[in-house]
Amino acid sequence: GNPHTVIVNLKNYKESTGQNLIGFLGSLKGIENEKNVRIIMAVSPLDLVNAKKYSSYEIFSQTVDPVPKGAFTGKIPIEGLLEIDVKGSLVNHSENRIGSEKIESIMGISKKLNFETVICVESLEEARRYAPMKPEFIAYEPPELIGGEVSVTTAAPSIIRDVVDACSGSDVKVLVGAGVKNADDANKSIELGAHGVLIASGIVKSHDPLKSLKGIIQGITDSC
Ligand code: G3P
């Protein structure tokens, strides 16, 4: 059906990339997931092939470009991702903003190729602008809270509700992120009408990433 979703963004953190990628992904094995929460790892393009090879989690890219295969040096075509069985990507993450024209082009190609997108937005206005493009997900992350101690669910509950409202007409699932750390934060996000969470430092920088991910899954399933 329509499972809740957790996306773990590995960013370019030392703990979760390069030499440490396989160890990190390995440490997250063994999640009990009876309610079938959809768990996705958003991985740097540098690490996608290894992540596919060594992890059984769903793998998304952290970025993608609106180009076909061809003479496009340094770009990441959607077709190229699909060839390595990566079926989705973050788009316009707060740390990698690309502007509305490029987002629109990416959406055009994604729809044709059945590629899933997570358009990241920093405000209600942006959620309203991008929801009609019908990405699989809109992820609301206030930039000032990213990587911090205060969860978006505590700092901006009413904006989360508004974003959920803005996206419901287009049937777009809302994820929330920034400062999400524990079961309570995850639980609150579902109560506010979100479909799930996008989380980075709360897992990657945790001294026990598996325990932290279990907490997030627990928080989400408790509210189902
Ligand atoms: O994409 C998720 C990320 O930007 C949130 O970061 O560290 O606040 O969970 P963090």
Side-chain angles (χ1 to χ4, degrees), residues 106-180:
I106 289 169
M107 287 313 300
I109 304 172
S110 296
K111 290 290 169 192
K112 275 189 211 123
L113 297 180
N114 228 344
F115 184 79
E116 287 188 64
T117 49
V118 184
I119 300 184
C120 301
V121 302
E122 297 184 342
S123 66
L124 174 59
E125 272 161 280
E126 287 183 359
R128 290 199 174 118
R129 187 181 321 149
Y130 296 122
M133 294 181 190
K134 292 185 178 290
E136 191 69 23
F137 301 98
I138 292 264
Y140 169 61
E141 301 195 314
E144 68 279 9
L145 299 177
I146 292 177
E149 293 304 318
V150 179
S151 169
V152 59
T153 52
T154 309
S158 70
I159 305 181
I160 293 176
R161 283 189 201 279
D162 291 346
V163 169
V164 169
D165 278 352
C167 293
S168 66
S170 308
D171 223 9
V172 173
K173 295 172 220 158
V174 172
L175 305 178
V176 295
V180 172

Side-chain angles (χ1 to χ4, degrees), residues 22-40:
I22 297 163
F24 177 78
L25 291 173
S27 77
L28 296 180
K29 274 184 199 153
I31 293 278
E32 272 178 49
N33 189 9
E34 283 149 17
K35 296 246 173 100
N36 286 315
V37 174
R38 187 177 182 198
I39 303 173
I40 300 168

Side-chain angles (χ1 to χ4, degrees), residues 9 11 93 141 146-147 178-179 198-201:
N9 181 0
K11 301 203 173 182
H93 189 275
E141 301 195 314
I146 292 177
L198 182 52
I199 178 171
S201 55

Side-chain angles (χ1 to χ4, degrees), residues 1-221:
N2 198 16
H4 289 286
T5 300
V6 173
I7 301 184
V8 182
N9 181 0
L10 276 53
K11 301 203 173 182
N12 269 297
Y13 282 130
K14 199 167 186 194
E15 294 87 341
S16 54
T17 64
Q19 308 279 25
N20 292 326
L21 171 84
I22 297 163
F24 177 78
L25 291 173
S27 77
L28 296 180
K29 274 184 199 153
I31 293 278
E32 272 178 49
N33 189 9
E34 283 149 17
K35 296 246 173 100
N36 286 315
V37 174
R38 187 177 182 198
I39 303 173
I40 300 168
M41 302 290 149
V43 170
S44 156
L46 288 172
D47 289 329
L48 286 169
V49 170
N50 273 337
K52 285 299 297 181
K53 198 160 155 193
Y54 293 102
S55 177
S56 51
Y57 284 116
E58 257 191 277
I59 304 295
F60 275 15
S61 180
Q62 291 173 1
T63 186
V64 66
D65 292 298
V67 297
K69 285 273 181 130
F72 299 100
T73 304
K75 300 290 186 190
I76 300 173
I78 291 175
E79 280 173 80
L81 292 175
L82 288 169
E83 274 179 22
I84 57 169
D85 206 32
V86 171
K87 296 182 173 118
S89 181
L90 303 183
V91 172
N92 196 47
H93 189 275
S94 185
E95 292 153 4
N96 192 16
R97 302 265 287 171
I98 59 172
S100 59
E101 252 174 64
K102 204 169 162 188
I103 294 174
E104 207 165 330
S105 311
I106 289 169
M107 287 313 300
I109 304 172
S110 296
K111 290 290 169 192
K112 275 189 211 123
L113 297 180
N114 228 344
F115 184 79
E116 287 188 64
T117 49
V118 184
I119 300 184
C120 301
V121 302
E122 297 184 342
S123 66
L124 174 59
E125 272 161 280
E126 287 183 359
R128 290 199 174 118
R129 187 181 321 149
Y130 296 122
M133 294 181 190
K134 292 185 178 290
E136 191 69 23
F137 301 98
I138 292 264
Y140 169 61
E141 301 195 314
E144 68 279 9
L145 299 177
I146 292 177
E149 293 304 318
V150 179
S151 169
V152 59
T153 52
T154 309
S158 70
I159 305 181
I160 293 176
R161 283 189 201 279
D162 291 346
V163 169
V164 169
D165 278 352
C167 293
S168 66
S170 308
D171 223 9
V172 173
K173 295 172 220 158
V174 172
L175 305 178
V176 295
V180 172
K181 291 281 184 291
N182 55 38
D184 283 350
D185 302 336
N187 194 274
K188 186 92 187 291
S189 71
I190 304 299
E191 272 173 19
L192 292 166
H195 184 80
V197 297
L198 182 52
I199 178 171
S201 55
I203 307 284
V204 177
K205 296 284 184 182
S206 166
H207 54 83
D208 189 343
L210 178 63
K211 193 172 167 204
S212 298
L213 181 56
K214 280 180 177 168
I216 296 294
I217 303 297
Q218 190 61 49
I220 284 187
T221 51

